[in-house]
C-alpha cells in the first residue's frame, strides 16, 4: 500500500497511511486530524509508487519536478519541500506520464505558455525550482500541467457564465515559447480564467 502524500499551500508535504482514512460512506475527516498541517490549506493529494514523477509549481511562477519517494517523511508535521515566497502558494501538483514532453503554464491574466518539460529541473530534495513563466506585477500563475494532449481551461464569459476553453494539440504551436517568457493571451471569448480543468 502506497503512502498518501498531501501537499500544503506553504510548500510542505505530509504523509498519511491509507489505514488512517475512514472507510465506507460519510463525510471523511479533516486533513488536519491526519497530519499537523498548522492551518495551511491542502492543495493536492497523490498516492503512487515511489518512482512516480510529479510536476509542481507556485503562484509566483516557479516550477520543479520530483519523484514521490522525495516526499516521504515520518514527521506528522511534514517536511518543507517546495520553497514558497511570502504571499505565494503551492499550486495543485500533477503526476507526469512517461510520455510527457511539454508543459503549459497559465496566468490569471489568461496568458498561456507552452515549453519543453525537460526545461523544468528535477530536484530530488525540493527547492525553489526554475521560473516557468514571467508574470506581471501582482499577477499569479494559476497552474502548470502537461500539455501534450491539449488543455481544458475553466473560464468565465459574459454575464459571468462559466465556460471551458479548449486548446487542442494543434493549437499549442501558437503558445509555444521559451521558458520564463510571458506567453500569449488565450484565444477565445472570456472575461477571466480560473485555472486548468482536470
Amino acid at each position: 500500500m502506497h503512502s498518501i502524500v498531501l501537499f500544503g499551500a506553504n510548500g510542505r508535504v505530509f504523509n498519511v497511511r491509507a489505514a488512517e482514512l475512514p472507510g465506507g460512506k460519510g463525510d471523511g475527516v479533516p486533513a488536519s486530524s491526519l497530519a499537523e498541517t498548522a492551518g495551511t490549506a491542502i492543495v493536492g493529494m497523490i498516492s503512487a509508487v515511489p518512482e512516480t514523477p510529479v510536476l509542481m509549481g507556485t503562484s509566483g511562477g516557479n516550477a520543479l519536478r520530483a519523484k514521490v519517494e522525495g516526499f516521504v517523511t515520518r514527521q506528522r508535521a511534514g517536511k518543507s519541500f517546495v520553497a514558497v515566497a511570502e504571499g505565494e502558494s503551492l499550486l495543485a501538483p500533477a503526476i507526469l506520464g512517461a510520455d510527457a514532453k511539454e508543459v503549459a503554464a497559465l496566468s490569471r491574466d489568461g496568458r498561456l505558455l507552452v515549453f519543453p518539460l525537460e526545461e523544468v529541473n528535477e530536484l530530488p530534495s525540493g527547492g525553489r525550482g526554475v521560473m516557468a513563466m514571467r508574470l506581471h506585477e501582482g499577477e499569479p500563475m494559476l497552474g502548470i500541467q502537461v500539455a501534450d494532449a491539449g488543455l481544458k481551461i475553466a473560464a468565465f464569459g459574459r454575464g459571468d457564465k462559466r465556460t471551458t476553453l479548449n486548446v487542442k494539440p494543434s493549437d499549442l504551436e501558437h503558445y509555444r515559447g521559451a521558458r520564463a517568457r510571458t506567453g500569449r493571451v488565450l484565444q477565445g471569448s472570456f472575461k477571466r480564467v480560473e485555472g486548468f480543468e482536470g
Side-chain angles (χ1 to χ4, degrees):
M1 186 70 75
H2 315 314
S3 71
I4 297 165
V5 182
L6 304 179
F7 295 81
N10 61 357
R12 295 186 76 81
V13 290
F14 309 90
N15 290 185
V16 175
R17 290 184 301 121
E20 295 174 354
L21 298 179
K25 296 177 180 175
D27 295 331
V29 294
S32 57
S33 70
L34 302 170
E36 293 172 16
T37 60
T40 191
I42 299 300
V43 298
M45 179 175 74
I46 284 176
S47 180
V49 295
E51 57 272 20
T52 302
V54 176
L55 175 68
M56 292 162 286
T58 68
S59 62
N62 285 353
L64 66 151
R65 291 184 286 159
K67 291 189 169 71
V68 167
E69 62 195 8
F71 309 138
V72 175
T73 174
R74 294 183 180 277
Q75 305 296 321
R76 272 185 63 84
K79 70 176 180 179
S80 181
F81 196 86
V82 181
V84 177
E86 191 171 343
E88 298 175 1
S89 65
L90 184 69
L91 303 172
I95 288 177
L96 290 167
D99 54 352
K101 291 182 176 61
E102 289 188 309
V103 293
L106 175 69
S107 82
R108 189 183 62 192
D109 287 356
R111 290 182 293 105
L112 187 68
L113 176 66
V114 176
F115 60 91
L117 170 64
E118 64 188 23
E119 294 183 14
V120 177
N121 292 354
E122 183 168 327
L123 301 176
S125 55
R128 188 164 176 75
V130 295
M131 182 188 290
M133 181 180 219
R134 186 173 299 283
L135 300 166
H136 296 147
E137 189 171 347
E139 175 196 22
M141 184 166 79
L142 297 180
I144 184 166
Q145 71 172 43
V146 173
D148 300 357
L151 302 160
K152 288 184 183 297
I153 297 167
F156 292 91
R158 288 182 186 155
D160 272 352
K161 188 177 180 186
R162 195 183 174 97
T163 184
T164 298
L165 301 174
N166 287 300
V167 182
K168 302 187 196 75
S170 58
D171 298 332
L172 294 176
E173 179 60 36
H174 181 71
Y175 303 103
R176 287 191 178 109
R179 179 185 62 75
R181 296 287 172 85
T182 55
R184 285 182 153 183
V185 175
L186 281 160
Q187 294 175 313
S189 178
F190 67 94
K191 281 170 60 176
R192 67 182 191 279
V193 295
E194 192 174 46
F196 290 119
E197 290 183 354

